[in-house]
Amino acid sequence: MRRLYPSAGPAGEDDEDDEDLDSLAGLADAYAYPAAEAGRPYLRANMVSSLDGAAVADGKSAPLSSPADMRVFGVLRALADVVVVGAETARREGYRPARARQDFAERRADAGQQPAPAIAVVTRTLDLDFGSPLFREPLTPTLVLTGAAPTRERLVAARAAGAEVVVAADPAGDGEGVDPARVVAELAARGHTRLLHEGGPRLLAQFAAAGVVDELCLTLAPLLTGGGAPRIMNGPGVPGPARLVPRSVLEEDGFLFTRYVRAPWPPEA
């Protein structure tokens, strides 16, 4: 993997920098969360897109991925306290619990993190398979964030599966949708300040419109799909629209790994 932006520095330093990016430790340093005041949450989104803007192919993101993309995916998870995902995406992609990785054990321990990030599923209806591995086999208990007070039946099922149900309703909505800002606040209150958002497109658009996305890590796949697949954000418009600034661009096998952040960066307390 090589760095395209920013340039690595004077001639002769590029090779050393590229070798570092080929290691998990080097990638982790390249994608490290910014230092911020204790308790301040930072939400990073990670998505993949084809050249023509599709977020999925044949209904899933995997056909757009690559070995390098999966390395970056794994590193971003290994750096996070919690992974936020919509219920539809969790079902479609067959989400399982995040696993502890020995390569990151010392780094996570030094940062005061659990051995593996928690998965936080955002759902309007709480219509989830609580018998799935996501709920029955997590190293770190799975969280369920919903906008409505769940029925007693679903609440009992969630608790029996070991999940923590968090109500984060949008006060300006219909009582069923979640409030992205409250989701972030509720997770931060539980010690999860390094947030990783993995979609789907509808949920990510809601978070972006609410102004709580601090960073976008976008893999641009050298593929054309056509069709009517959704974009990486497929929901409400972002006021402004908001402008991000490039932080880095990496490349391997024709795939571009871009990182955009909100200014100023690092974020102010």
Side-chain angles (χ1 to χ4, degrees), residues 43-48 55-56 61 73 77 82-93 95 119-123 178 195-208 213 215-217 230-234:
L43 189 144
R44 161 186 286 163
N46 182 35
M47 298 291 281
V48 63
V56 295
S61 60
F73 176 90
R77 278 199 166 195
V82 62
V83 176
V84 180
V85 62
E88 181 180 351
T89 296
R91 286 190 291 263
R92 185 179 65 243
E93 302 281 355
Y95 263 56
I119 303 294
V121 183
V122 179
T123 171
V178 299
L195 284 68
L196 176 63
H197 197 302
E198 292 183 352
R202 185 182 300 109
L203 186 67
L204 182 55
Q206 294 170 3
F207 273 64
V213 176
E215 177 179 324
L216 173 63
C217 294
R231 300 178 300 163
I232 64 165
M233 294 185 190
N234 196 38

Short mmCIF file of all heavy atoms in Angstrom, two decimals, residues 43-48 55-56 61 73 77 82-93 95 119-123 178 195-208 213 215-217 230-234:
data_model
loop_
_atom_site.label_atom_id
_atom_site.label_comp_id
_atom_site.label_asym_id
_atom_site.label_seq_id
_atom_site.Cartn_x
_atom_site.Cartn_y
_atom_site.Cartn_z
N LEU A 43 -16.93 10.49 15.92
CA LEU A 43 -17.60 9.50 15.09
C LEU A 43 -16.97 9.47 13.69
O LEU A 43 -16.96 10.47 12.98
CB LEU A 43 -19.10 9.79 14.98
CG LEU A 43 -19.92 8.68 14.31
CD1 LEU A 43 -21.29 8.55 14.96
CD2 LEU A 43 -20.07 8.91 12.81
N ARG A 44 -16.46 8.31 13.37
CA ARG A 44 -15.86 8.04 12.06
C ARG A 44 -16.79 7.09 11.31
O ARG A 44 -17.29 6.12 11.86
CB ARG A 44 -14.49 7.40 12.26
CG ARG A 44 -13.93 6.65 11.09
CD ARG A 44 -12.63 5.94 11.49
NE ARG A 44 -11.53 6.88 11.64
CZ ARG A 44 -10.41 6.60 12.28
NH1 ARG A 44 -10.26 5.43 12.89
NH2 ARG A 44 -9.44 7.49 12.36
N ALA A 45 -17.03 7.39 10.03
CA ALA A 45 -17.84 6.50 9.18
C ALA A 45 -16.91 5.81 8.19
O ALA A 45 -15.97 6.42 7.68
CB ALA A 45 -18.91 7.28 8.44
N ASN A 46 -17.17 4.55 7.92
CA ASN A 46 -16.39 3.78 6.95
C ASN A 46 -17.33 3.17 5.93
O ASN A 46 -18.23 2.41 6.29
CB ASN A 46 -15.60 2.67 7.66
CG ASN A 46 -14.72 1.90 6.69
OD1 ASN A 46 -14.18 2.45 5.75
ND2 ASN A 46 -14.59 0.60 6.93
N MET A 47 -17.13 3.52 4.66
CA MET A 47 -18.00 3.03 3.60
C MET A 47 -17.16 2.71 2.36
O MET A 47 -16.01 3.16 2.24
CB MET A 47 -19.07 4.07 3.25
CG MET A 47 -20.02 4.41 4.39
SD MET A 47 -21.13 3.05 4.84
CE MET A 47 -22.36 3.18 3.52
N VAL A 48 -17.75 1.94 1.44
CA VAL A 48 -17.12 1.62 0.17
C VAL A 48 -18.07 2.00 -0.95
O VAL A 48 -19.30 1.92 -0.79
CB VAL A 48 -16.74 0.12 0.10
CG1 VAL A 48 -17.98 -0.77 0.18
CG2 VAL A 48 -15.92 -0.19 -1.15
N ALA A 55 -23.16 1.91 -3.41
CA ALA A 55 -22.67 1.47 -2.11
C ALA A 55 -22.73 -0.05 -1.95
O ALA A 55 -22.12 -0.60 -1.04
CB ALA A 55 -23.49 2.12 -0.99
N VAL A 56 -23.47 -0.73 -2.84
CA VAL A 56 -23.58 -2.19 -2.80
C VAL A 56 -23.63 -2.71 -4.23
O VAL A 56 -23.94 -1.98 -5.17
CB VAL A 56 -24.84 -2.66 -2.03
CG1 VAL A 56 -24.78 -2.27 -0.57
CG2 VAL A 56 -26.11 -2.10 -2.68
N SER A 61 -22.07 -5.21 0.23
CA SER A 61 -20.87 -4.41 -0.01
C SER A 61 -19.66 -5.27 -0.39
O SER A 61 -18.71 -4.76 -0.99
CB SER A 61 -20.53 -3.59 1.24
OG SER A 61 -20.28 -4.45 2.35
N PHE A 73 -10.64 -2.15 6.90
CA PHE A 73 -11.86 -2.42 7.66
C PHE A 73 -11.53 -2.99 9.04
O PHE A 73 -12.05 -2.56 10.07
CB PHE A 73 -12.73 -3.40 6.86
CG PHE A 73 -13.99 -3.84 7.55
CD1 PHE A 73 -15.17 -3.14 7.40
CD2 PHE A 73 -14.00 -4.99 8.34
CE1 PHE A 73 -16.34 -3.57 8.03
CE2 PHE A 73 -15.15 -5.42 8.97
CZ PHE A 73 -16.33 -4.71 8.82
N ARG A 77 -11.98 -1.18 12.84
CA ARG A 77 -12.70 -1.84 13.94
C ARG A 77 -11.83 -2.01 15.17
O ARG A 77 -12.27 -1.82 16.30
CB ARG A 77 -13.22 -3.21 13.48
CG ARG A 77 -14.51 -3.14 12.70
CD ARG A 77 -15.19 -4.49 12.70
NE ARG A 77 -16.57 -4.39 12.24
CZ ARG A 77 -17.47 -5.34 12.40
NH1 ARG A 77 -17.12 -6.47 13.00
NH2 ARG A 77 -18.69 -5.19 11.97
N VAL A 82 -16.77 1.18 19.75
CA VAL A 82 -18.08 0.65 19.39
C VAL A 82 -18.29 0.82 17.89
O VAL A 82 -17.83 1.80 17.30
CB VAL A 82 -19.20 1.36 20.18
CG1 VAL A 82 -19.26 2.84 19.86
CG2 VAL A 82 -20.56 0.71 19.96
N VAL A 83 -18.99 -0.14 17.29
CA VAL A 83 -19.34 -0.11 15.87
C VAL A 83 -20.85 0.11 15.77
O VAL A 83 -21.63 -0.71 16.28
CB VAL A 83 -18.95 -1.42 15.16
CG1 VAL A 83 -19.40 -1.40 13.71
CG2 VAL A 83 -17.45 -1.65 15.26
N VAL A 84 -21.26 1.20 15.13
CA VAL A 84 -22.67 1.53 14.97
C VAL A 84 -23.14 1.06 13.60
O VAL A 84 -22.51 1.34 12.58
CB VAL A 84 -22.90 3.05 15.10
CG1 VAL A 84 -24.38 3.40 14.93
CG2 VAL A 84 -22.38 3.56 16.45
N VAL A 85 -24.26 0.33 13.57
CA VAL A 85 -24.76 -0.21 12.32
C VAL A 85 -26.28 -0.25 12.35
O VAL A 85 -26.89 -0.47 13.41
CB VAL A 85 -24.18 -1.62 12.05
CG1 VAL A 85 -24.61 -2.60 13.13
CG2 VAL A 85 -24.58 -2.13 10.67
N GLY A 86 -26.90 -0.03 11.22
CA GLY A 86 -28.35 -0.13 11.13
C GLY A 86 -28.80 -1.57 11.11
O GLY A 86 -28.07 -2.47 10.66
N ALA A 87 -30.02 -1.82 11.58
CA ALA A 87 -30.54 -3.19 11.67
C ALA A 87 -30.61 -3.85 10.31
O ALA A 87 -30.29 -5.04 10.15
CB ALA A 87 -31.91 -3.18 12.33
N GLU A 88 -31.02 -3.10 9.27
CA GLU A 88 -31.13 -3.67 7.93
C GLU A 88 -29.77 -4.13 7.42
O GLU A 88 -29.62 -5.22 6.86
CB GLU A 88 -31.73 -2.66 6.97
CG GLU A 88 -31.90 -3.19 5.55
CD GLU A 88 -32.50 -2.16 4.61
OE1 GLU A 88 -32.94 -1.10 5.08
OE2 GLU A 88 -32.52 -2.43 3.40
N THR A 89 -28.74 -3.32 7.64
CA THR A 89 -27.40 -3.68 7.21
C THR A 89 -26.89 -4.88 8.01
O THR A 89 -26.26 -5.79 7.45
CB THR A 89 -26.44 -2.50 7.39
OG1 THR A 89 -26.86 -1.44 6.52
CG2 THR A 89 -25.01 -2.88 7.04
N ALA A 90 -27.17 -4.91 9.30
CA ALA A 90 -26.73 -6.03 10.13
C ALA A 90 -27.35 -7.34 9.64
O ALA A 90 -26.68 -8.38 9.61
CB ALA A 90 -27.10 -5.78 11.59
N ARG A 91 -28.62 -7.28 9.24
CA ARG A 91 -29.27 -8.49 8.73
C ARG A 91 -28.73 -8.88 7.37
O ARG A 91 -28.40 -10.05 7.13
CB ARG A 91 -30.79 -8.26 8.66
CG ARG A 91 -31.51 -8.26 9.99
CD ARG A 91 -33.02 -8.27 9.81
NE ARG A 91 -33.50 -7.01 9.26
CZ ARG A 91 -33.99 -6.01 10.00
NH1 ARG A 91 -34.02 -6.13 11.32
NH2 ARG A 91 -34.42 -4.90 9.43
N ARG A 92 -28.62 -7.90 6.47
CA ARG A 92 -28.20 -8.19 5.09
C ARG A 92 -26.76 -8.70 5.03
O ARG A 92 -26.44 -9.61 4.27
CB ARG A 92 -28.35 -6.94 4.23
CG ARG A 92 -28.06 -7.17 2.75
CD ARG A 92 -28.23 -5.92 1.93
NE ARG A 92 -27.28 -4.89 2.30
CZ ARG A 92 -27.58 -3.71 2.81
NH1 ARG A 92 -28.84 -3.40 3.02
NH2 ARG A 92 -26.64 -2.83 3.12
N GLU A 93 -25.90 -8.12 5.84
CA GLU A 93 -24.49 -8.47 5.80
C GLU A 93 -24.13 -9.61 6.76
O GLU A 93 -22.98 -10.04 6.83
CB GLU A 93 -23.63 -7.24 6.14
CG GLU A 93 -23.85 -6.05 5.22
CD GLU A 93 -23.13 -6.18 3.89
OE1 GLU A 93 -22.37 -7.17 3.73
OE2 GLU A 93 -23.32 -5.32 3.01
N TYR A 95 -24.16 -9.75 10.22
CA TYR A 95 -23.22 -9.26 11.23
C TYR A 95 -23.02 -10.28 12.35
O TYR A 95 -23.97 -10.91 12.82
CB TYR A 95 -23.71 -7.95 11.82
CG TYR A 95 -23.05 -6.74 11.19
CD1 TYR A 95 -23.13 -6.54 9.80
CD2 TYR A 95 -22.36 -5.82 11.94
CE1 TYR A 95 -22.52 -5.44 9.21
CE2 TYR A 95 -21.75 -4.72 11.36
CZ TYR A 95 -21.84 -4.54 9.99
OH TYR A 95 -21.23 -3.46 9.41
N ILE A 119 -20.79 -3.98 19.33
CA ILE A 119 -21.63 -3.68 18.17
C ILE A 119 -22.90 -3.01 18.69
O ILE A 119 -23.53 -3.51 19.62
CB ILE A 119 -22.00 -4.94 17.38
CG1 ILE A 119 -20.75 -5.69 16.93
CG2 ILE A 119 -22.86 -4.56 16.17
CD1 ILE A 119 -19.89 -4.98 15.93
N ALA A 120 -23.25 -1.86 18.12
CA ALA A 120 -24.46 -1.15 18.51
C ALA A 120 -25.40 -1.12 17.31
O ALA A 120 -25.11 -0.49 16.29
CB ALA A 120 -24.13 0.28 18.96
N VAL A 121 -26.52 -1.81 17.41
CA VAL A 121 -27.49 -1.92 16.32
C VAL A 121 -28.60 -0.89 16.51
O VAL A 121 -29.23 -0.85 17.57
CB VAL A 121 -28.09 -3.33 16.25
CG1 VAL A 121 -29.04 -3.45 15.06
CG2 VAL A 121 -27.00 -4.39 16.17
N VAL A 122 -28.82 -0.08 15.50
CA VAL A 122 -29.88 0.92 15.54
C VAL A 122 -31.11 0.35 14.84
O VAL A 122 -31.04 -0.07 13.69
CB VAL A 122 -29.44 2.22 14.87
CG1 VAL A 122 -30.57 3.27 14.91
CG2 VAL A 122 -28.19 2.78 15.54
N THR A 123 -32.25 0.34 15.55
CA THR A 123 -33.46 -0.28 15.00
C THR A 123 -34.69 0.49 15.46
O THR A 123 -34.78 0.93 16.61
CB THR A 123 -33.58 -1.74 15.45
OG1 THR A 123 -34.87 -2.25 15.09
CG2 THR A 123 -33.40 -1.91 16.95
N VAL A 178 -34.68 7.30 15.65
CA VAL A 178 -33.65 7.66 16.62
C VAL A 178 -33.13 9.06 16.35
O VAL A 178 -33.21 9.57 15.23
CB VAL A 178 -32.48 6.66 16.58
CG1 VAL A 178 -32.94 5.27 16.95
CG2 VAL A 178 -31.79 6.66 15.23
N LEU A 195 -16.10 6.17 18.05
CA LEU A 195 -17.23 5.53 17.37
C LEU A 195 -16.89 5.26 15.91
O LEU A 195 -16.27 6.10 15.24
CB LEU A 195 -18.46 6.42 17.45
CG LEU A 195 -19.23 6.48 18.78
CD1 LEU A 195 -18.43 7.15 19.87
CD2 LEU A 195 -20.55 7.23 18.60
N LEU A 196 -17.33 4.10 15.42
CA LEU A 196 -17.17 3.74 14.01
C LEU A 196 -18.55 3.42 13.45
O LEU A 196 -19.21 2.49 13.91
CB LEU A 196 -16.25 2.53 13.88
CG LEU A 196 -16.07 1.97 12.46
CD1 LEU A 196 -15.43 3.00 11.54
CD2 LEU A 196 -15.25 0.69 12.48
N HIS A 197 -18.97 4.17 12.45
CA HIS A 197 -20.29 3.98 11.81
C HIS A 197 -20.08 3.20 10.52
O HIS A 197 -19.34 3.62 9.64
CB HIS A 197 -20.90 5.35 11.51
CG HIS A 197 -22.36 5.34 11.23
ND1 HIS A 197 -22.93 4.58 10.22
CD2 HIS A 197 -23.39 6.00 11.83
CE1 HIS A 197 -24.23 4.79 10.22
NE2 HIS A 197 -24.54 5.64 11.17
N GLU A 198 -20.77 2.06 10.39
CA GLU A 198 -20.64 1.23 9.19
C GLU A 198 -21.90 1.19 8.33
O GLU A 198 -22.06 0.33 7.48
CB GLU A 198 -20.23 -0.20 9.60
CG GLU A 198 -18.82 -0.27 10.17
CD GLU A 198 -18.36 -1.67 10.52
OE1 GLU A 198 -19.18 -2.62 10.47
OE2 GLU A 198 -17.17 -1.83 10.86
N GLY A 199 -22.79 2.15 8.54
CA GLY A 199 -23.97 2.23 7.67
C GLY A 199 -25.18 1.51 8.23
O GLY A 199 -25.22 1.17 9.42
N GLY A 200 -26.16 1.30 7.36
CA GLY A 200 -26.22 1.53 5.94
C GLY A 200 -26.42 2.95 5.49
O GLY A 200 -26.43 3.89 6.30
N PRO A 201 -26.65 3.09 4.16
CA PRO A 201 -26.75 4.40 3.56
C PRO A 201 -27.83 5.31 4.17
O PRO A 201 -27.62 6.50 4.32
CB PRO A 201 -27.05 4.08 2.10
CG PRO A 201 -26.43 2.74 1.87
CD PRO A 201 -26.65 2.00 3.15
N ARG A 202 -28.98 4.73 4.50
CA ARG A 202 -30.06 5.55 5.06
C ARG A 202 -29.68 6.08 6.44
O ARG A 202 -29.86 7.26 6.76
CB ARG A 202 -31.36 4.74 5.15
CG ARG A 202 -32.56 5.56 5.61
CD ARG A 202 -33.82 4.73 5.72
NE ARG A 202 -34.19 4.13 4.45
CZ ARG A 202 -34.09 2.84 4.18
NH1 ARG A 202 -33.63 2.00 5.11
NH2 ARG A 202 -34.44 2.37 3.01
N LEU A 203 -29.12 5.19 7.27
CA LEU A 203 -28.76 5.60 8.63
C LEU A 203 -27.60 6.59 8.61
O LEU A 203 -27.61 7.58 9.36
CB LEU A 203 -28.39 4.37 9.45
CG LEU A 203 -28.12 4.63 10.93
CD1 LEU A 203 -29.40 5.07 11.65
CD2 LEU A 203 -27.54 3.40 11.61
N LEU A 204 -26.62 6.36 7.76
CA LEU A 204 -25.48 7.28 7.70
C LEU A 204 -25.93 8.66 7.24
O LEU A 204 -25.43 9.68 7.75
CB LEU A 204 -24.41 6.73 6.76
CG LEU A 204 -23.14 7.57 6.64
CD1 LEU A 204 -22.51 7.84 8.01
CD2 LEU A 204 -22.13 6.90 5.72
N ALA A 205 -26.87 8.72 6.31
CA ALA A 205 -27.39 10.02 5.87
C ALA A 205 -28.05 10.76 7.02
O ALA A 205 -27.91 11.99 7.15
CB ALA A 205 -28.40 9.82 4.73
N GLN A 206 -28.75 10.04 7.89
CA GLN A 206 -29.38 10.67 9.05
C GLN A 206 -28.33 11.25 10.00
O GLN A 206 -28.49 12.35 10.53
CB GLN A 206 -30.26 9.65 9.77
CG GLN A 206 -31.47 9.20 8.96
CD GLN A 206 -32.18 8.00 9.60
OE1 GLN A 206 -31.81 7.54 10.67
NE2 GLN A 206 -33.20 7.50 8.92
N PHE A 207 -27.25 10.50 10.20
CA PHE A 207 -26.20 10.97 11.11
C PHE A 207 -25.48 12.18 10.50
O PHE A 207 -25.14 13.13 11.22
CB PHE A 207 -25.22 9.84 11.40
CG PHE A 207 -25.63 8.96 12.55
CD1 PHE A 207 -26.78 8.19 12.47
CD2 PHE A 207 -24.87 8.90 13.70
CE1 PHE A 207 -27.17 7.38 13.51
CE2 PHE A 207 -25.25 8.08 14.76
CZ PHE A 207 -26.40 7.32 14.67
N ALA A 208 -25.25 12.14 9.19
CA ALA A 208 -24.59 13.27 8.53
C ALA A 208 -25.47 14.51 8.58
O ALA A 208 -24.99 15.63 8.82
CB ALA A 208 -24.25 12.91 7.09
N VAL A 213 -21.17 13.46 12.19
CA VAL A 213 -20.11 12.70 11.54
C VAL A 213 -18.85 13.56 11.50
O VAL A 213 -18.82 14.61 10.86
CB VAL A 213 -20.51 12.27 10.12
CG1 VAL A 213 -19.34 11.56 9.43
CG2 VAL A 213 -21.73 11.36 10.16
N GLU A 215 -15.75 12.29 10.61
CA GLU A 215 -14.77 11.79 9.63
C GLU A 215 -15.43 10.76 8.73
O GLU A 215 -16.26 9.96 9.18
CB GLU A 215 -13.59 11.15 10.37
CG GLU A 215 -12.53 10.54 9.48
CD GLU A 215 -11.38 9.95 10.30
OE1 GLU A 215 -11.01 10.54 11.35
OE2 GLU A 215 -10.85 8.90 9.89
N LEU A 216 -15.04 10.77 7.45
CA LEU A 216 -15.51 9.76 6.51
C LEU A 216 -14.30 9.06 5.90
O LEU A 216 -13.45 9.70 5.27
CB LEU A 216 -16.34 10.41 5.39
CG LEU A 216 -16.75 9.47 4.25
CD1 LEU A 216 -17.65 8.34 4.76
CD2 LEU A 216 -17.45 10.25 3.13
N CYS A 217 -14.24 7.75 6.09
CA CYS A 217 -13.24 6.92 5.44
C CYS A 217 -13.95 6.21 4.29
O CYS A 217 -14.81 5.35 4.53
CB CYS A 217 -12.64 5.90 6.42
SG CYS A 217 -11.69 6.64 7.75
N PRO A 230 -28.15 2.13 -3.98
CA PRO A 230 -28.05 3.39 -3.23
C PRO A 230 -26.61 3.89 -3.17
O PRO A 230 -25.66 3.13 -3.30
CB PRO A 230 -28.55 3.00 -1.83
CG PRO A 230 -28.27 1.54 -1.73
CD PRO A 230 -28.50 1.00 -3.11
N ARG A 231 -26.48 5.20 -2.96
CA ARG A 231 -25.19 5.80 -2.69
C ARG A 231 -24.80 5.51 -1.25
O ARG A 231 -25.57 4.91 -0.49
CB ARG A 231 -25.23 7.30 -2.92
CG ARG A 231 -25.60 7.68 -4.35
CD ARG A 231 -25.67 9.19 -4.48
NE ARG A 231 -26.67 9.77 -3.60
CZ ARG A 231 -26.73 11.06 -3.27
NH1 ARG A 231 -25.82 11.90 -3.73
NH2 ARG A 231 -27.68 11.51 -2.48
N ILE A 232 -23.62 5.94 -0.82
CA ILE A 232 -23.20 5.68 0.57
C ILE A 232 -24.08 6.41 1.56
O ILE A 232 -24.16 6.03 2.72
CB ILE A 232 -21.72 6.01 0.80
CG1 ILE A 232 -21.46 7.51 0.62
CG2 ILE A 232 -20.82 5.19 -0.11
CD1 ILE A 232 -20.12 7.96 1.17
N MET A 233 -24.73 7.50 1.11
CA MET A 233 -25.72 8.18 1.93
C MET A 233 -26.97 8.32 1.08
O MET A 233 -26.92 8.92 0.01
CB MET A 233 -25.23 9.55 2.40
CG MET A 233 -24.05 9.48 3.36
SD MET A 233 -23.60 11.11 3.99
CE MET A 233 -22.04 10.71 4.80
N ASN A 234 -28.07 7.80 1.57
CA ASN A 234 -29.29 7.75 0.79
C ASN A 234 -30.46 8.09 1.69
O ASN A 234 -31.26 7.24 2.05
CB ASN A 234 -29.46 6.35 0.19
CG ASN A 234 -30.47 6.32 -0.93
OD1 ASN A 234 -30.55 7.25 -1.72
ND2 ASN A 234 -31.25 5.25 -0.99
#
